[in-house]
Amino acid sequence: MPRFDSDSALRASLRGMHPYEPIAPPEEVAARYGVAPGRIVKLDGNENPFGASPRARAALAGDYAPHRYPDPAQRRLRDALAARHNVPAETIVAGAGSDEIIDLLFRTYVEEGDRIVVATPTFGMYAFDAQLHGALIVDVPLRADWSIDADALVAAAEGAKAVFIPSPNNPTGGLLPMPLAERLLATGALLVVDEAYMEFSHGESLVQRAAAGEPLVALRTFSKWAGLAGLRVGYGVMPLAIATALMRVKQPYGVNIAAEVAALASLEDAALLDERACVITGERDRMAGLLRESGWLEPAPSESNFVLVRMLQGDSLTVREALRRRGIFVRTFDHPRLLDHLRISAGTSEDTDRLLAALREARTELGQ
Ligand code: PMP
């Protein structure tokens, strides 16, 4: 009998696949650079610098049942989210991060050879999932000022299975303009608007319209606004028929018990989390002002909890290294248009001050 050959058995769409580039664990990077873990300023993951809310922390320390399976129908969480957004619970699907909802949309609707439209630079998960499913990525690059080329995007959407647009976009920070959303809704493609950072913006959410049945999915997450990135809980709001299909396709227990209790408690702490979001965007604006004043860094306008910064001199990897040696972690990208950019998450005011001090030192060290 011939032996199983894992190389030739590999699905064709996975050969030569580019893996998703996750951020490295901070302890590992800190150890590599000889930085004490307590000295890390972590501005590379768009995480919430204040952590989980007090009620979420209390709920996690409280009395729940880790030995039980979670509710596969997600009743309590979907009901609480329905109350928050004033939409029917049946139009909501929760998952292990909004990443799981993206994955579910692909598993439910995308076949090999389907066209998936994105506008890069953007969140890498859509292209990652497209590769997994053998779909064709159609990229409509953002313009030089990071705005969307609306006509080109609409043209690409016609004949595509889905369009994935974060609003605000990661990593550029801009919103999907509403008139463009209207045009995309008329193309015949499914519009997936990823609102992971919506709570930090002045943007208009499409959650209500998704629940009302338009060909639209609005994605949300507890990772950013609620500071629960490590627990992995996100959700999508969508037309009833799409939600019903996703509920049928999903793994039964995607949202674990701890994530569920923390998410429910976060919703009870929504007012506090909204206040924190305001503090974070205030700090983002202060940071952007200080970066601009430094004379060599040009922050793009942001509606999110991070800024994309263009360096007028130097390359991002060298500056990232110099910052890491000082315990400051920022995000770089290998996208060809971002080799001279850093994405920096908004942290506490102390984080900003340490970032600025480290950037001054790095600039001197690198002679820029
Ligand atoms: N969408 C966007 C635009 C993101 O930037 C991220 C996280 N980096 C996600 C979704 C994933 O969120 P989650 O943690 O809920 O999977």
Side-chain angles (χ1 to χ4, degrees):
M1 286 284 277
R3 273 172 67 89
F4 176 74
D5 176 6
S6 57
D7 287 337
S8 63
L10 194 66
R11 281 168 41 207
S13 63
L14 302 187
R15 298 197 185 122
M17 175 176 172
H18 305 290
Y20 180 73
E21 253 187 281
I23 44 173
E27 308 74 27
E28 190 259 321
V29 182
R32 215 180 329 138
Y33 288 82
V35 176
R39 290 287 293 163
I40 296 171
V41 174
K42 192 171 178 317
L43 304 177
D44 59 354
N46 300 340
E47 293 143 343
N48 193 311
F50 300 111
S53 83
R55 281 191 168 96
R57 284 173 189 273
L60 285 168
D63 190 19
Y64 57 97
H67 60 299
R68 303 279 186 220
Y69 284 103
D71 173 14
Q74 309 168 340
R75 288 175 192 84
R76 287 204 309 158
L77 185 53
R78 291 166 89 202
D79 284 347
L81 288 167
R84 171 167 172 78
H85 292 295
N86 198 20
V87 298
E90 297 73 26
T91 63
I92 300 170
V93 181
S98 44
D99 285 349
E100 188 187 353
I101 311 299
I102 299 168
D103 176 67
L104 268 176
L105 286 167
F106 273 88
R107 288 202 278 136
T108 310
Y109 291 107
V110 178
E111 300 196 80
E112 227 169 284
D114 278 349
R115 298 161 86 84
I116 300 297
V117 180
V118 297
T120 69
T122 193
F123 183 43
M125 195 57 71
Y126 321 126
F128 171 78
D129 279 314
Q131 285 187 87
L132 279 183
H133 291 269
L136 299 174
I137 275 283
V138 180
D139 181 15
V140 179
L142 297 177
R143 296 204 189 91
D145 66 355
W146 303 134
S147 63
I148 300 175
D149 184 340
D151 290 342
L153 192 69
V154 170
E158 280 159 5
K161 180 63 72 72
V163 184
F164 283 81
I165 302 283
S167 184
N169 188 39
N170 173 13
T172 58
L175 292 166
L176 170 67
M178 276 301 131
L180 174 55
E182 301 294 347
R183 291 177 67 192
L184 291 168
L185 287 170
T187 59
L190 176 67
L191 175 60
V192 183
V193 177
D194 185 341
E195 298 185 351
Y197 302 99
M198 187 51 85
E199 293 91 345
F200 303 101
S201 81
H202 299 98
E204 196 182 315
S205 170
L206 288 168
V207 157
Q208 302 271 335
R209 291 183 59 178
E214 300 203 40
L216 167 70
V217 175
L219 300 176
R220 290 291 187 105
T221 181
F222 284 85
S223 295
K224 317 294 176 180
W225 169 74
L228 299 183
L231 285 175
R232 314 300 304 124
V233 54
Y235 58 100
V237 182
M238 60 203 84
L240 181 60
I242 299 182
T244 308
L246 263 57
M247 288 301 286
R248 211 177 304 134
V249 170
K250 77 172 181 61
Q251 299 277 338
Y253 308 120
V255 181
N256 69 69
I257 291 261
E260 185 194 30
V261 301
L264 288 168
S266 300
L267 293 174
E268 286 171 19
D269 250 343
L272 175 79
L273 290 169
D274 286 340
E275 272 171 42
R276 287 180 174 181
C278 275
V279 174
I280 291 166
T281 54
E283 192 57 30
R284 170 201 70 202
D285 292 343
R286 187 177 83 91
M287 172 173 76
L290 292 169
L291 292 169
R292 186 172 294 107
E293 274 171 27
S294 76
W296 68 300
L297 299 166
E298 199 177 75
S302 173
E303 289 275 346
S304 198
N305 65 344
F306 55 82
V307 286
L308 183 66
V309 179
R310 188 165 77 92
M311 301 185 309
L312 302 179
Q313 280 173 306
D315 71 281
S316 60
L317 286 185
T318 313
V319 174
R320 184 186 72 176
E321 294 305 288
L323 291 177
R324 281 183 171 183
R325 287 196 295 275
R326 293 166 173 83
I328 315 287
F329 297 177
V330 299
R331 183 76 147 102
T332 56
F333 301 92
D334 59 11
H335 189 285
R337 291 172 70 191
L338 295 179
L339 300 178
D340 55 353
H341 285 72
L342 306 171
R343 191 197 68 194
I344 310 178
S345 309
T348 61
S349 55
E350 297 76 40
D351 292 343
T352 306
D353 294 342
R354 278 201 51 206
L355 165 76
L356 266 293
L359 278 166
R360 274 192 297 275
E361 282 179 28
R363 191 179 182 189
T364 310
E365 176 185 293
L366 302 172
Q368 282 165 2

